[in-house]
Amino acid sequence: MTARPRKLNANAGIAMLTEAAAGNFPVLRRNFIFQLVLLCIFILALTNPVRAEFKICNQTVAVYNVAIGAEKDHKFSTEGWWILPANGCISPLKEDLDAIRVRYVYVYATTVTGESAFLGNSQMCVDTKRFRIDKIPDQPWNCWVRGFEFVKFKEIDTGSAKSWTVFIRNGVSQ
């Protein structure tokens, strides 16, 4: 005896698709999908937290070398270099600015040809290679005496913000 192939009822398949399109899923299936969507949103929220930071974004086609100056834990220092690509961003300070009590951040950004991104008026020290230079309390910077270069940083007043973003645009940013 040979088994005969079963005939598929085309009308039954169309009826199932029509019910699915109309949203007539069983209640358990709808609850499962709802819970799955909530779980996905929760996981995305955990993996993509909002970060408090000081960020510098480059909206030009030039590449910049960036140094910053800030007072943290009652010690003022300058630090660099970060490479800021064209149309990219960097975050030299990744902490909540208000929590670490940083109100003023000083920024110096220059291209390899020496074009400055900002008109600064706060003179501080930088080095030619990666650096961190601590200012001696109650003393002038004395960059040349210490073997460093004097440059003009732009003062950024962040007020009591937790995050701040500075943009470099074509021409000298003010």
Side-chain angles (χ1 to χ4, degrees):
M1 212 171 185
T2 339
R4 293 185 356 189
R6 293 174 70 184
K7 287 187 180 180
L8 292 176
N9 185 346
N11 290 336
I14 291 173
M16 285 175 36
L17 288 175
T18 306
E19 286 181 19
N24 293 329
F25 290 102
V27 175
L28 290 177
R29 179 175 251 174
R30 272 188 272 171
N31 284 344
F32 174 75
I33 291 172
F34 177 73
Q35 290 172 351
L36 187 62
V37 168
L38 283 178
L39 179 65
C40 290
I41 291 170
F42 180 73
I43 289 171
L44 284 173
L46 287 179
T47 58
N48 246 350
V50 175
R51 292 175 31 172
E53 61 194 355
F54 183 81
K55 186 187 292 187
I56 304 168
C57 292
N58 181 2
Q59 296 181 330
T60 73
V61 294
V63 175
Y64 284 91
N65 295 307
V66 176
I68 64 162
E71 183 177 353
K72 291 195 291 187
D73 301 324
H74 305 292
K75 294 179 185 174
F76 195 93
S77 63
T78 58
E79 191 174 351
W81 295 101
W82 286 268
I83 297 173
L84 179 55
N87 296 308
C89 296
I90 58 169
S91 299
L93 295 174
K94 296 185 188 324
E95 303 94 350
D96 178 328
L97 299 176
D98 192 42
I100 60 173
R101 300 178 194 270
V102 171
R103 177 174 176 174
Y104 297 99
V105 179
Y106 298 83
V107 180
Y108 176 71
T110 183
T111 64
V112 292
T113 59
E115 283 182 58
S116 184
F118 302 104
L119 293 175
N121 54 7
S122 300
Q123 290 193 326
M124 296 177 217
C125 303
V126 297
D127 202 351
T128 55
K129 56 189 177 299
R130 186 136 181 90
F131 68 91
R132 179 186 167 95
I133 303 168
D134 294 322
K135 184 178 184 306
I136 300 168
D138 303 321
Q139 298 278 325
W141 276 96
N142 291 327
C143 297
W144 300 112
V145 174
R146 297 171 68 189
F148 303 120
E149 185 180 344
F150 240 148
V151 297
K152 291 184 177 183
F153 283 70
K154 170 79 173 170
E155 179 182 81
I156 310 293
D157 184 354
T158 65
S160 59
K162 295 178 183 297
S163 297
W164 196 271
T165 302
V166 175
F167 294 96
I168 297 175
R169 296 188 172 97
N170 284 328
V172 176
S173 299
Q174 304 246 348

